Amino acid sequence: SARLSELTIREFFSLYDVMNTDLSYMDDYRRRSMVIGRRVKVLAGERYVSGHVVEIDNNACLRVQLRRGTRTTVSSRAEVMF
C-alpha cells in the first residue's frame, strides 16, 4: 500500500541521516573487521592490485599499502589472500 511505502521510506531516510552524521558505529566495524592487517587483492579502477590493508576510513573504504610503498583507497570488493 501507499501508506506502508511512505513509512518505509521515512524510516530509511531517518536511519540514513543518523548513519551519515553519527559515525560511532565505524569504530565497532573496524574492530570486527577481518581484513585490517591482512594481505588482499582488490579491484582498483580496471585492474587488480594486492597489498596490506592498513585501515578502513569513515566511508568504509579500505586504505591499502601496495608493494611499492604507496597507499591507495579502494571501495571495491577485497579478496583476502592466504
Side-chain angles (χ1 to χ4, degrees), residues 19-48:
M19 291 189 77
N20 279 326
T21 56
D22 177 11
L23 297 175
S24 61
Y25 68 93
M26 285 302 298
D27 291 332
D28 189 48
Y29 181 80
R30 289 181 189 100
R31 272 192 301 281
R32 294 171 184 253
S33 171
M34 296 172 40
V35 297
I36 295 176
R38 301 293 299 268
R39 187 166 181 247
V40 295
K41 181 170 85 171
V42 293
L43 186 60
E46 295 183 11
R47 64 186 181 95
Y48 280 94

Side-chain angles (χ1 to χ4, degrees), residues 1-64:
S1 78
R3 179 72 179 140
L4 180 58
S5 295
E6 177 188 349
L7 292 173
T8 302
I9 290 169
R10 283 181 191 224
E11 181 67 16
F12 169 81
F13 280 108
S14 69
L15 292 172
Y16 181 82
D17 289 341
V18 168
M19 291 189 77
N20 279 326
T21 56
D22 177 11
L23 297 175
S24 61
Y25 68 93
M26 285 302 298
D27 291 332
D28 189 48
Y29 181 80
R30 289 181 189 100
R31 272 192 301 281
R32 294 171 184 253
S33 171
M34 296 172 40
V35 297
I36 295 176
R38 301 293 299 268
R39 187 166 181 247
V40 295
K41 181 170 85 171
V42 293
L43 186 60
E46 295 183 11
R47 64 186 181 95
Y48 280 94
V49 296
S50 62
H52 284 87
V53 177
V54 292
E55 70 178 332
I56 299 174
D57 70 15
N58 284 338
N59 294 314
C61 296
L62 302 179
R63 292 282 297 150
V64 178

